[in-house]
Amino acid sequence: MSMMAWKALYKSGVCRMNVHFEDKKSFTVIGKVGQGLSAESHNWIPAIWQEANNKFEEIRNLAKTDREGNIVGIWGAMSDLSESFERWTDQGKYLAGCEVLDNSAAPNGWTKWIIPPYKYAVIKCNQNTYQEKFKHMIHEFLPDHNYSIVGAVHEFYNPVETNGNLYLYFPIEKLDNE
């Protein structure tokens, strides 16, 4: 590849797609759940977020917090229809919620998922770069590094960051419960 081609790739952002790896123990999310066609997710997921955001006060006291009192994570967790945390097929389930203490009970009208432990390949994006980075991970980064996806991808929103970024968590290895 010529130097000019490399510079073009760098400017486009493709070469700056920093991926890090994270071993994450099992964690619990309580949120609002919905399901629909994968190809139409952009139509049905926003309504789930709207409902979760509008009723967040109902679960605020269950949210896991850090030492400073900040909520540790807002998740767009995904699963197959059987809730086995397998990849979406032509349909999928989506849970818009927050990370909570493992022993929390979901209030009426809310759903609790316990996400199994995985090693994740993680990439930062925003709404404008979401599709590009998702496709890059699926079609280039993971295969080029001999990884395959072993479960559903999740979205992580760090409540401390207010810049519109989110992180895509691609499970690449199942871990043992500890």
Side-chain angles (χ1 to χ4, degrees):
M1 186 176 278
S2 72
M3 183 56 97
M4 191 174 303
W6 276 110
K7 285 182 180 179
L9 276 175
Y10 183 78
K11 281 187 175 181
S12 74
V14 172
C15 290
R16 291 179 285 170
M17 292 189 186
N18 293 329
V19 176
H20 74 271
F21 297 92
E22 184 176 326
D23 288 354
K24 188 155 178 62
K25 294 179 182 177
S26 165
F27 63 100
T28 304
V29 176
I30 290 180
K32 294 293 184 172
V33 70
Q35 71 181 58
L37 294 172
S38 302
E40 299 294 322
S41 61
H42 60 281
N43 291 328
W44 55 270
I45 289 176
I48 300 167
W49 276 112
Q50 185 174 11
E51 183 181 6
N53 288 332
N54 288 344
K55 297 184 177 187
F56 179 71
E57 290 304 318
E58 295 176 12
I59 63 165
R60 177 180 288 281
N61 63 325
L62 302 175
K64 189 183 277 188
T65 56
D66 62 18
R67 290 186 181 130
E68 289 81 40
N70 299 309
I71 295 171
V72 299
I74 303 294
W75 289 90
M78 298 184 222
S79 183
D80 60 318
L81 295 181
S82 71
E83 296 185 8
S84 302
F85 303 103
E86 296 296 327
R87 290 179 69 179
W88 282 13
T89 55
D90 61 330
Q91 294 187 62
K93 284 192 173 185
Y94 187 95
L95 183 75
C98 73
E99 193 165 339
V100 298
L101 297 173
D102 293 339
N103 61 355
S104 298
N108 196 19
W110 292 83
T111 299
K112 175 180 174 177
W113 282 0
I114 300 172
I115 312 293
Y118 288 104
K119 177 177 186 168
Y120 293 96
V122 182
I123 190 166
K124 185 192 301 190
C125 67
N126 58 46
Q127 292 303 322
N128 295 327
T129 62
Y130 187 107
Q131 288 299 323
E132 171 193 3
K133 292 197 177 183
F134 194 97
K135 288 176 184 175
H136 168 75
M137 292 295 288
I138 297 288
H139 300 296
E140 295 174 43
F141 182 86
L142 295 173
D144 289 353
H145 292 85
N146 296 316
Y147 292 115
S148 58
I149 298 176
V150 297
V153 178
H154 304 296
E155 302 163 349
F156 173 74
Y157 301 83
N158 185 339
V160 177
E161 293 182 24
T162 57
N163 55 11
N165 287 333
L166 65 135
Y167 299 83
L168 297 173
Y169 276 64
F170 293 83
I172 57 172
E173 181 183 337
K174 292 181 179 183
L175 300 176
D176 294 329
N177 271 328
E178 295 168 7

